[in-house]
Coordinates of all heavy atoms in Angstrom, one line a residue:
M1 N 2.4 15.9 2.4 CA 3.0 14.6 2.6 C 4.2 14.7 3.6 O 4.4 13.9 4.4 CB 3.4 14.0 1.3 CG 3.8 12.6 1.4 SD 2.5 11.4 1.7 CE 3.0 10.9 3.3
R2 N 4.9 15.8 3.4 CA 6.1 16.0 4.3 C 5.8 16.0 5.7 O 6.5 15.5 6.6 CB 6.8 17.3 3.9 CG 8.1 17.5 4.6 CD 8.7 18.9 4.3 NE 8.7 19.3 3.0 CZ 9.7 19.1 2.1 NH1 10.8 18.5 2.5 NH2 9.6 19.6 0.9
E3 N 4.6 16.5 6.1 CA 4.2 16.6 7.5 C 3.5 15.3 8.0 O 3.2 15.2 9.2 CB 3.3 17.8 7.8 CG 4.0 19.1 7.4 CD 5.3 19.4 8.2 OE1 5.3 19.1 9.4 OE2 6.2 19.9 7.6
A4 N 3.1 14.4 7.1 CA 2.3 13.2 7.5 C 3.2 12.2 8.2 O 4.4 12.1 8.1 CB 1.8 12.5 6.2
D5 N 2.5 11.5 9.1 CA 3.2 10.4 9.9 C 3.3 9.2 9.1 O 4.2 8.4 9.3 CB 2.4 10.1 11.2 CG 2.5 11.3 12.1 OD1 3.5 12.0 12.2 OD2 1.5 11.4 12.8
G6 N 2.4 8.9 8.1 CA 2.4 7.7 7.3 C 1.5 8.0 6.1 O 1.0 9.0 5.9
F7 N 1.5 7.0 5.2 CA 0.7 7.1 4.0 C -0.2 5.9 3.8 O 0.3 4.7 3.9 CB 1.7 7.2 2.8 CG 1.0 7.2 1.5 CD1 0.4 8.4 1.0 CD2 0.8 6.0 0.7 CE1 -0.2 8.4 -0.2 CE2 0.2 6.1 -0.5 CZ -0.3 7.2 -1.0
F8 N -1.5 6.1 3.6 CA -2.5 5.0 3.3 C -3.0 5.4 2.0 O -3.7 6.4 1.8 CB -3.6 5.0 4.4 CG -4.6 3.9 4.1 CD1 -4.4 2.6 4.6 CD2 -5.7 4.2 3.4 CE1 -5.3 1.6 4.3 CE2 -6.7 3.2 3.1 CZ -6.4 1.9 3.6
G9 N -2.7 4.6 1.0 CA -3.1 4.9 -0.4 C -4.1 3.9 -0.9 O -3.9 2.7 -0.8
V10 N -5.2 4.4 -1.5 CA -6.1 3.6 -2.3 C -5.6 3.5 -3.7 O -5.6 4.5 -4.4 CB -7.6 4.1 -2.2 CG1 -8.5 3.2 -3.0 CG2 -8.0 4.2 -0.8
V11 N -5.2 2.3 -4.1 CA -4.6 2.1 -5.4 C -5.5 1.3 -6.4 O -5.0 0.5 -7.1 CB -3.2 1.5 -5.3 CG1 -2.2 2.4 -4.6 CG2 -3.3 0.2 -4.5
N12 N -6.8 1.7 -6.4 CA -7.7 1.1 -7.4 C -7.5 1.8 -8.7 O -7.0 2.9 -8.8 CB -9.2 1.3 -6.9 CG -9.5 0.4 -5.8 OD1 -8.9 -0.7 -5.6 ND2 -10.5 0.7 -5.0
G13 N -7.9 1.1 -9.7 CA -7.8 1.6 -11.1 C -6.7 0.9 -11.8 O -5.8 0.3 -11.3
C14 N -6.7 1.0 -13.1 CA -5.7 0.4 -14.0 C -5.3 1.4 -15.1 O -5.9 1.5 -16.1 CB -6.2 -0.8 -14.7 SG -6.1 -2.3 -13.7
P15 N -4.3 2.2 -14.8 CA -3.4 2.2 -13.7 C -4.1 3.0 -12.5 O -5.0 3.7 -12.7 CB -2.2 3.0 -14.1 CG -2.7 3.9 -15.1 CD -3.8 3.2 -15.8
P16 N -3.5 2.9 -11.3 CA -4.0 3.6 -10.2 C -3.9 5.1 -10.4 O -3.2 5.6 -11.3 CB -3.1 3.2 -9.0 CG -2.6 1.9 -9.4 CD -2.5 1.9 -10.9
D17 N -4.7 5.9 -9.7 CA -4.7 7.4 -9.8 C -3.3 8.0 -9.8 O -2.6 7.7 -8.9 CB -5.6 7.9 -8.7 CG -5.7 9.4 -8.8 OD1 -6.4 9.9 -9.6 OD2 -5.0 10.1 -8.0
E18 N -3.1 8.8 -10.7 CA -1.7 9.4 -10.9 C -1.4 10.3 -9.7 O -0.2 10.3 -9.2 CB -1.6 10.3 -12.1 CG -1.7 9.4 -13.4 CD -3.1 9.2 -13.9 OE1 -4.1 9.5 -13.2 OE2 -3.2 8.7 -15.0
G19 N -2.4 11.0 -9.1 CA -2.1 11.8 -7.9 C -1.7 11.0 -6.7 O -0.8 11.3 -6.0
V20 N -2.4 9.9 -6.5 CA -2.0 8.9 -5.5 C -0.6 8.4 -5.7 O 0.2 8.2 -4.7 CB -3.0 7.8 -5.3 CG1 -2.6 6.8 -4.3 CG2 -4.4 8.4 -5.0
M21 N -0.2 8.1 -6.9 CA 1.1 7.6 -7.2 C 2.2 8.6 -6.9 O 3.2 8.3 -6.4 CB 1.2 7.2 -8.7 CG 0.3 6.0 -9.1 SD 0.5 4.5 -8.1 CE -0.7 4.7 -6.8
V22 N 1.9 9.9 -7.2 CA 2.9 11.0 -6.8 C 3.0 11.0 -5.3 O 4.1 11.1 -4.8 CB 2.4 12.3 -7.4 CG1 3.2 13.5 -6.8 CG2 2.5 12.3 -8.9
E23 N 1.9 11.0 -4.6 CA 2.0 11.0 -3.1 C 2.7 9.8 -2.6 O 3.5 9.9 -1.6 CB 0.6 11.1 -2.5 CG -0.1 12.4 -2.8 CD -1.6 12.4 -2.5 OE1 -2.2 11.3 -2.5 OE2 -2.2 13.5 -2.4
L24 N 2.5 8.6 -3.2 CA 3.2 7.4 -2.8 C 4.7 7.6 -3.0 O 5.5 7.2 -2.1 CB 2.6 6.2 -3.6 CG 3.4 4.9 -3.4 CD1 3.4 4.5 -1.9 CD2 2.8 3.8 -4.2
G25 N 5.0 8.1 -4.1 CA 6.5 8.4 -4.4 C 7.1 9.3 -3.3 O 8.2 9.1 -2.9
M26 N 6.4 10.3 -2.9 CA 6.9 11.2 -1.9 C 7.0 10.5 -0.6 O 8.0 10.7 0.2 CB 6.0 12.5 -1.8 CG 6.1 13.4 -3.0 SD 5.2 15.0 -2.8 CE 3.5 14.4 -2.6
A27 N 6.0 9.7 -0.2 CA 6.0 9.0 1.0 C 7.2 8.0 1.1 O 7.9 7.9 2.1 CB 4.7 8.2 1.2
I28 N 7.5 7.4 0.0 CA 8.7 6.5 -0.1 C 10.0 7.3 0.0 O 10.8 6.9 0.8 CB 8.6 5.7 -1.4 CG1 7.5 4.7 -1.4 CG2 10.0 5.0 -1.7 CD1 7.2 4.1 -2.8
A29 N 10.0 8.4 -0.7 CA 11.3 9.2 -0.6 C 11.5 9.7 0.8 O 12.7 9.8 1.2 CB 11.2 10.4 -1.6
W30 N 10.5 10.1 1.5 CA 10.6 10.6 2.9 C 10.5 9.5 3.9 O 10.5 9.8 5.1 CB 9.6 11.7 3.1 CG 9.9 13.0 2.4 CD1 11.1 13.5 2.2 CD2 8.9 13.9 1.8 NE1 11.0 14.7 1.5 CE2 9.7 14.9 1.3 CE3 7.6 13.9 1.7 CZ2 9.1 16.0 0.6 CZ3 7.0 14.9 1.0 CH2 7.7 16.0 0.5
E31 N 10.6 8.3 3.5 CA 10.7 7.1 4.3 C 9.5 7.0 5.3 O 9.7 6.7 6.5 CB 12.0 7.0 5.0 CG 13.2 6.9 4.0 CD 14.5 6.8 4.7 OE1 14.6 7.0 5.9 OE2 15.5 6.6 3.9
K32 N 8.3 7.4 4.9 CA 7.1 7.3 5.7 C 6.6 5.8 5.7 O 6.8 5.1 4.7 CB 6.0 8.2 5.2 CG 6.4 9.6 5.0 CD 6.5 10.4 6.3 CE 6.9 11.8 6.0 NZ 6.8 12.6 7.2
P33 N 6.0 5.4 6.7 CA 5.3 4.1 6.7 C 4.2 4.1 5.6 O 3.5 5.0 5.4 CB 4.7 3.9 8.0 CG 5.4 4.9 8.9 CD 5.8 6.0 8.0
V34 N 4.2 3.0 4.8 CA 3.2 3.0 3.6 C 2.3 1.8 3.8 O 2.8 0.7 4.1 CB 4.0 2.8 2.3 CG1 3.1 2.5 1.1 CG2 4.8 4.1 2.0
F35 N 1.0 2.0 3.6 CA 0.0 1.0 3.6 C -0.8 1.2 2.3 O -1.2 2.3 2.0 CB -0.9 1.2 4.8 CG -0.1 1.3 6.1 CD1 0.2 2.5 6.6 CD2 0.4 0.2 6.8 CE1 1.0 2.7 7.7 CE2 1.2 0.3 7.9 CZ 1.5 1.6 8.4
L36 N -1.1 0.1 1.6 CA -1.8 0.2 0.4 C -3.1 -0.6 0.4 O -3.1 -1.8 0.9 CB -0.9 -0.3 -0.8 CG 0.4 0.5 -1.0 CD1 1.2 -0.1 -2.1 CD2 0.1 2.0 -1.3
F37 N -4.2 -0.1 -0.2 CA -5.5 -0.7 -0.2 C -5.9 -0.8 -1.7 O -5.9 0.1 -2.4 CB -6.5 0.1 0.5 CG -7.9 -0.5 0.5 CD1 -8.3 -1.5 1.4 CD2 -8.8 -0.1 -0.5 CE1 -9.6 -2.0 1.3 CE2 -10.1 -0.6 -0.6 CZ -10.5 -1.5 0.3
R38 N -6.3 -2.0 -2.1 CA -6.8 -2.3 -3.4 C -7.9 -3.4 -3.4 O -7.6 -4.5 -3.1 CB -5.7 -2.6 -4.4 CG -6.3 -2.8 -5.8 CD -5.1 -3.2 -6.8 NE -5.6 -3.5 -8.1 CZ -5.9 -2.6 -9.0 NH1 -5.7 -1.3 -8.8 NH2 -6.3 -2.9 -10.2
D39 N -9.1 -3.0 -3.7 CA -10.2 -4.0 -3.8 C -10.7 -4.0 -5.2 O -11.8 -4.6 -5.5 CB -11.3 -3.8 -2.8 CG -12.0 -2.5 -2.9 OD1 -11.7 -1.7 -3.8 OD2 -13.0 -2.3 -2.2
D40 N -10.0 -3.6 -6.1 CA -10.3 -3.6 -7.6 C -10.0 -5.0 -8.1 O -8.9 -5.5 -7.9 CB -9.5 -2.5 -8.3 CG -9.9 -2.2 -9.7 OD1 -10.5 -3.1 -10.3 OD2 -9.6 -1.1 -10.1
F41 N -10.9 -5.6 -8.8 CA -10.7 -6.9 -9.3 C -9.9 -7.0 -10.6 O -9.4 -8.1 -10.9 CB -12.1 -7.5 -9.6 CG -12.8 -6.9 -10.8 CD1 -12.6 -7.3 -12.1 CD2 -13.6 -5.8 -10.5 CE1 -13.3 -6.7 -13.1 CE2 -14.3 -5.1 -11.6 CZ -14.1 -5.6 -12.9
R42 N -9.6 -5.9 -11.2 CA -8.8 -5.9 -12.4 C -7.3 -6.1 -12.2 O -6.8 -5.6 -11.2 CB -9.0 -4.6 -13.2 CG -10.4 -4.3 -13.6 CD -10.6 -2.9 -14.2 NE -10.6 -2.0 -13.1 CZ -10.7 -0.7 -13.2 NH1 -10.8 -0.1 -14.4 NH2 -10.6 0.1 -12.2
R43 N -6.7 -6.9 -13.0 CA -5.3 -7.2 -12.9 C -4.5 -6.0 -13.6 O -4.9 -5.7 -14.7 CB -4.9 -8.5 -13.5 CG -5.4 -9.7 -12.7 CD -4.9 -11.0 -13.2 NE -3.4 -11.1 -13.5 CZ -2.5 -11.3 -12.6 NH1 -2.8 -11.5 -11.4 NH2 -1.2 -11.4 -13.0
C44 N -3.5 -5.5 -13.0 CA -2.7 -4.5 -13.6 C -1.2 -4.9 -13.7 O -0.3 -4.0 -13.6 CB -2.8 -3.2 -12.8 SG -4.5 -2.5 -12.9
T45 N -0.9 -6.2 -13.7 CA 0.4 -6.6 -13.8 C 0.5 -8.0 -14.4 O -0.6 -8.7 -14.4 CB 1.1 -6.7 -12.4 OG1 2.4 -7.1 -12.5 CG2 0.3 -7.6 -11.5
D46 N 1.6 -8.5 -14.8 CA 1.7 -9.8 -15.3 C 2.4 -10.7 -14.2 O 2.7 -11.9 -14.4 CB 2.5 -9.9 -16.6 CG 3.9 -9.2 -16.5 OD1 4.2 -8.8 -15.4 OD2 4.5 -9.2 -17.6
S47 N 2.6 -10.2 -13.0 CA 3.2 -10.9 -11.9 C 2.2 -11.7 -11.2 O 1.1 -11.2 -11.0 CB 3.9 -9.9 -11.0 OG 4.3 -10.6 -9.8
E48 N 2.5 -12.9 -10.8 CA 1.7 -13.7 -10.0 C 1.8 -13.4 -8.5 O 0.9 -13.7 -7.7 CB 2.0 -15.2 -10.2 CG 1.6 -15.7 -11.6 CD 0.2 -15.6 -12.0 OE1 -0.7 -15.8 -11.1 OE2 -0.1 -15.2 -13.1
T49 N 2.9 -12.7 -8.1 CA 3.1 -12.3 -6.7 C 2.6 -11.0 -6.4 O 2.0 -10.8 -5.3 CB 4.7 -12.4 -6.5 OG1 5.1 -13.7 -6.8 CG2 4.9 -12.1 -5.0
Y50 N 2.9 -10.0 -7.2 CA 2.5 -8.6 -6.9 C 1.3 -8.2 -7.7 O 1.3 -8.3 -8.9 CB 3.7 -7.7 -7.1 CG 4.8 -7.9 -6.2 CD1 5.9 -8.7 -6.6 CD2 4.9 -7.4 -5.0 CE1 7.0 -9.0 -5.8 CE2 5.9 -7.7 -4.1 CZ 7.0 -8.5 -4.5 OH 8.0 -8.7 -3.7
P51 N 0.3 -7.6 -7.1 CA -1.0 -7.3 -7.8 C -0.9 -6.0 -8.6 O -1.8 -5.7 -9.4 CB -2.0 -7.2 -6.7 CG -1.3 -7.0 -5.5 CD 0.1 -7.6 -5.7
L52 N 0.2 -5.2 -8.5 CA 0.4 -4.0 -9.2 C 1.9 -3.9 -9.7 O 2.7 -4.8 -9.3 CB 0.1 -2.8 -8.4 CG -1.4 -2.5 -8.0 CD1 -1.5 -1.4 -7.0 CD2 -2.2 -2.2 -9.3
N53 N 2.2 -2.9 -10.4 CA 3.6 -2.7 -10.8 C 4.5 -2.8 -9.6 O 4.3 -2.2 -8.5 CB 3.7 -1.3 -11.4 CG 5.1 -1.0 -12.0 OD1 6.1 -1.1 -11.3 ND2 5.1 -0.7 -13.3
L54 N 5.6 -3.5 -9.7 CA 6.5 -3.8 -8.6 C 7.1 -2.5 -8.0 O 7.3 -2.5 -6.8 CB 7.6 -4.7 -9.1 CG 8.7 -5.1 -8.1 CD1 8.0 -5.9 -7.0 CD2 9.8 -6.0 -8.8
M55 N 7.2 -1.5 -8.8 CA 7.8 -0.2 -8.2 C 6.9 0.3 -7.1 O 7.4 1.0 -6.2 CB 7.9 0.8 -9.3 CG 9.0 0.5 -10.3 SD 9.2 1.9 -11.5 CE 7.7 1.9 -12.3
L56 N 5.6 0.0 -7.1 CA 4.7 0.6 -6.1 C 5.0 -0.1 -4.7 O 4.5 0.4 -3.7 CB 3.3 0.4 -6.5 CG 2.9 1.0 -7.8 CD1 1.4 0.8 -8.1 CD2 3.2 2.5 -7.8
F57 N 5.6 -1.2 -4.7 CA 5.8 -2.0 -3.5 C 7.2 -1.6 -2.8 O 7.5 -2.2 -1.7 CB 5.7 -3.5 -3.8 CG 4.3 -3.9 -4.1 CD1 3.9 -3.8 -5.4 CD2 3.5 -4.3 -3.2 CE1 2.6 -4.1 -5.8 CE2 2.2 -4.6 -3.5 CZ 1.7 -4.5 -4.8
I58 N 7.9 -0.7 -3.4 CA 9.2 -0.4 -2.8 C 9.1 0.2 -1.4 O 10.0 0.2 -0.6 CB 10.1 0.5 -3.7 CG1 11.5 0.6 -3.2 CG2 9.5 1.8 -3.9 CD1 12.5 -0.1 -4.1
G59 N 7.9 0.8 -1.1 CA 7.7 1.5 0.2 C 7.2 0.5 1.2 O 7.2 0.9 2.4
L60 N 6.9 -0.7 0.8 CA 6.5 -1.8 1.8 C 7.7 -2.6 2.2 O 8.7 -2.6 1.5 CB 5.4 -2.7 1.2 CG 4.2 -2.0 0.6 CD1 3.2 -3.0 0.1 CD2 3.5 -1.1 1.7
P61 N 7.6 -3.2 3.4 CA 8.8 -4.1 3.8 C 9.1 -5.2 2.7 O 8.2 -5.7 2.1 CB 8.3 -4.7 5.1 CG 7.2 -3.9 5.6 CD 6.5 -3.3 4.3
E62 N 10.4 -5.4 2.6 CA 10.8 -6.4 1.6 C 10.2 -7.8 1.9 O 9.7 -8.5 1.0 CB 12.3 -6.5 1.5 CG 12.8 -7.4 0.4 CD 14.3 -7.4 0.3 OE1 14.9 -6.5 0.8 OE2 14.8 -8.3 -0.4
T63 N 10.3 -8.2 3.2 CA 9.7 -9.4 3.6 C 8.4 -9.1 4.5 O 8.5 -8.2 5.3 CB 10.6 -10.3 4.4 OG1 11.1 -9.6 5.5 CG2 11.8 -10.7 3.6
G64 N 7.4 -9.8 4.3 CA 6.2 -9.5 5.0 C 5.4 -8.4 4.5 O 4.5 -7.8 5.2
W65 N 5.6 -8.0 3.2 CA 4.9 -6.8 2.6 C 3.4 -7.0 2.6 O 2.6 -6.1 2.7 CB 5.4 -6.5 1.2 CG 5.2 -7.6 0.2 CD1 6.0 -8.7 -0.1 CD2 4.0 -7.8 -0.5 NE1 5.4 -9.5 -1.0 CE2 4.1 -9.0 -1.3 CE3 2.8 -7.1 -0.7 CZ2 3.2 -9.5 -2.2 CZ3 1.8 -7.6 -1.5 CH2 2.0 -8.8 -2.3
E66 N 3.0 -8.3 2.6 CA 1.6 -8.6 2.6 C 0.8 -8.0 3.8 O -0.4 -7.7 3.7 CB 1.3 -10.1 2.5 CG 1.9 -10.8 1.3 CD 3.3 -11.2 1.4 OE1 4.0 -10.8 2.4 OE2 3.8 -12.0 0.6
A67 N 1.5 -7.8 4.9 CA 0.8 -7.3 6.1 C 0.5 -5.8 5.9 O -0.4 -5.3 6.6 CB 1.7 -7.4 7.3
S68 N 1.1 -5.1 4.9 CA 0.8 -3.7 4.6 C -0.1 -3.5 3.4 O -0.3 -2.4 3.0 CB 2.1 -3.0 4.4 OG 2.9 -3.0 5.6
W69 N -0.6 -4.6 2.9 CA -1.4 -4.6 1.7 C -2.8 -5.1 2.1 O -3.0 -6.1 2.7 CB -0.8 -5.6 0.6 CG -1.6 -5.8 -0.6 CD1 -2.5 -6.8 -0.8 CD2 -1.7 -5.0 -1.7 NE1 -3.1 -6.7 -2.0 CE2 -2.7 -5.5 -2.6 CE3 -1.1 -3.8 -2.1 CZ2 -3.0 -5.0 -3.8 CZ3 -1.4 -3.2 -3.3 CH2 -2.4 -3.8 -4.1
Y70 N -3.8 -4.4 1.7 CA -5.2 -4.6 2.0 C -6.0 -4.8 0.8 O -6.0 -4.0 -0.1 CB -5.7 -3.5 2.9 CG -4.9 -3.4 4.2 CD1 -3.8 -2.6 4.2 CD2 -5.3 -4.1 5.3 CE1 -3.0 -2.6 5.4 CE2 -4.6 -4.0 6.5 CZ -3.4 -3.2 6.5 OH -2.7 -3.2 7.6
A71 N -6.8 -5.9 0.7 CA -7.6 -6.2 -0.4 C -9.1 -6.2 -0.1 O -9.9 -6.4 -0.9 CB -7.3 -7.6 -1.0
S72 N -9.4 -5.9 1.2 CA -10.8 -5.7 1.6 C -10.9 -4.8 2.8 O -10.0 -4.7 3.6 CB -11.4 -7.1 2.0 OG -10.9 -7.6 3.2
V73 N -12.1 -4.2 3.0 CA -12.3 -3.3 4.1 C -12.2 -4.1 5.4 O -11.6 -3.6 6.4 CB -13.7 -2.6 4.0 CG1 -14.0 -1.8 5.2 CG2 -13.7 -1.8 2.8
E74 N -12.6 -5.3 5.4 CA -12.5 -6.2 6.6 C -11.1 -6.3 7.1 O -10.8 -6.4 8.3 CB -13.2 -7.5 6.4 CG -14.7 -7.5 6.2 CD -15.1 -7.0 4.8 OE1 -14.3 -7.1 3.8 OE2 -16.2 -6.5 4.7
E75 N -10.2 -6.4 6.2 CA -8.7 -6.6 6.6 C -8.2 -5.4 7.4 O -7.3 -5.6 8.1 CB -7.9 -6.9 5.3 CG -8.1 -8.2 4.7 CD -7.3 -8.4 3.5 OE1 -6.7 -7.4 2.9 OE2 -7.2 -9.5 3.0
L76 N -8.8 -4.3 7.2 CA -8.3 -3.1 7.9 C -8.4 -3.2 9.4 O -7.6 -2.6 10.1 CB -9.1 -1.8 7.4 CG -8.9 -1.4 5.9 CD1 -9.8 -0.3 5.6 CD2 -7.4 -1.0 5.7
A77 N -9.4 -3.9 9.9 CA -9.6 -4.1 11.3 C -8.7 -5.2 11.9 O -8.7 -5.4 13.1 CB -11.0 -4.3 11.6
D78 N -8.0 -6.0 11.1 CA -7.2 -7.1 11.6 C -6.1 -6.6 12.5 O -5.2 -5.9 12.0 CB -6.7 -7.9 10.4 CG -6.0 -9.2 10.8 OD1 -5.6 -9.3 12.0 OD2 -5.8 -10.0 9.9
P79 N -6.1 -6.9 13.7 CA -5.0 -6.5 14.6 C -3.6 -7.0 14.3 O -2.6 -6.5 14.8 CB -5.5 -6.9 16.0 CG -6.4 -8.0 15.8 CD -7.0 -7.8 14.4
E80 N -3.6 -8.1 13.5 CA -2.3 -8.7 13.1 C -1.7 -8.0 11.9 O -0.5 -8.3 11.6 CB -2.5 -10.2 12.9 CG -3.0 -10.9 14.1 CD -2.0 -10.9 15.2 OE1 -0.8 -11.0 15.0 OE2 -2.5 -10.6 16.4
R81 N -2.4 -7.2 11.3 CA -1.9 -6.5 10.1 C -1.1 -5.2 10.4 O -1.2 -4.7 11.6 CB -3.0 -6.1 9.1 CG -3.9 -7.3 8.7 CD -3.2 -8.3 7.9 NE -2.7 -7.8 6.6 CZ -3.4 -7.8 5.4 NH1 -4.5 -8.5 5.4 NH2 -2.9 -7.3 4.3
A82 N -0.3 -4.7 9.5 CA 0.7 -3.7 9.8 C 0.0 -2.3 10.2 O 0.5 -1.7 11.1 CB 1.5 -3.5 8.6
L83 N -1.1 -2.0 9.6 CA -1.7 -0.7 9.9 C -2.2 -0.7 11.4 O -1.9 0.3 12.1 CB -2.9 -0.4 9.0 CG -3.6 0.9 9.2 CD1 -2.6 2.1 9.0 CD2 -4.8 1.1 8.2
A84 N -2.9 -1.7 11.8 CA -3.3 -1.8 13.2 C -2.2 -1.8 14.2 O -2.2 -1.1 15.2 CB -4.2 -3.0 13.4
R85 N -1.1 -2.5 13.9 CA 0.1 -2.5 14.7 C 0.7 -1.1 14.8 O 1.1 -0.7 15.8 CB 1.1 -3.5 14.3 CG 0.6 -5.0 14.5 CD 1.7 -6.0 14.3 NE 2.6 -5.7 13.1 CZ 2.5 -6.4 12.0 NH1 1.6 -7.3 11.8 NH2 3.3 -6.1 11.0
W86 N 0.8 -0.4 13.7 CA 1.4 0.9 13.6 C 0.5 1.9 14.4 O 1.1 2.7 15.1 CB 1.6 1.3 12.1 CG 2.1 2.7 12.0 CD1 3.4 3.0 12.2 CD2 1.5 3.9 11.5 NE1 3.6 4.4 11.9 CE2 2.4 4.9 11.5 CE3 0.2 4.1 11.1 CZ2 2.1 6.2 11.1 CZ3 -0.1 5.4 10.7 CH2 0.8 6.4 10.7
L87 N -0.8 1.8 14.2 CA -1.7 2.8 14.9 C -1.7 2.6 16.4 O -1.8 3.6 17.1 CB -3.1 2.6 14.4 CG -3.3 3.1 13.0 CD1 -4.7 2.7 12.5 CD2 -3.1 4.6 12.9
T88 N -1.5 1.4 16.9 CA -1.5 1.2 18.3 C -0.2 1.3 19.0 O -0.1 1.4 20.2 CB -2.1 -0.2 18.7 OG1 -1.4 -1.2 18.0 CG2 -3.6 -0.3 18.2
G89 N 0.9 1.2 18.2 CA 2.2 1.4 18.7 C 2.7 0.2 19.4 O 2.0 -0.8 19.6
P90 N 3.9 0.3 20.0 CA 4.6 -0.8 20.7 C 3.9 -1.0 22.0 O 3.3 -0.3 22.7 CB 6.0 -0.4 20.9 CG 6.1 1.1 20.5 CD 4.8 1.5 19.8

């Protein structure tokens, strides 16, 4: 993780995989760009806003975090979303 340019985590499961959560924590600590993917239909939170534990979103932008959150494979190709913008650069 230390050498990675960014972090793309699949956070399916209730709770999501513990190994992915450790890697996510390292990415957040090292201030790497974070992108999260979850197409799991199960709810893992009581929040109406955030689909997982709020702590997992600390690595995403405070405003506009939804652009770094993916709920379908089709969204990954959306050029308006954060991952596509990050991959293509300025």
Side-chain angles (χ1 to χ4, degrees):
M1 190 69 249
R2 187 184 314 267
E3 302 299 320
D5 293 327
F7 177 80
F8 181 87
V10 177
V11 291
N12 285 338
C14 280
D17 179 76
E18 292 88 350
V20 174
M21 297 301 93
V22 169
E23 293 167 341
L24 174 58
M26 290 188 295
I28 291 168
W30 286 323
E31 299 180 352
K32 307 287 183 171
V34 171
F35 311 94
L36 300 177
F37 177 87
R38 180 180 177 82
D39 63 355
D40 192 332
F41 66 91
R42 297 172 287 179
R43 288 187 49 85
C44 292
T45 182
D46 55 3
S47 170
E48 293 299 323
T49 304
Y50 295 96
L52 291 171
N53 186 305
L54 182 58
M55 289 187 297
L56 303 181
F57 292 86
I58 191 113
L60 303 183
E62 186 175 345
T63 58
W65 64 267
E66 297 89 347
S68 299
W69 173 263
Y70 299 85
S72 73
V73 173
E74 293 76 24
E75 289 178 346
L76 295 172
D78 184 344
E80 299 300 315
R81 304 295 297 266
L83 181 60
R85 291 192 316 257
W86 179 71
L87 289 171
T88 58

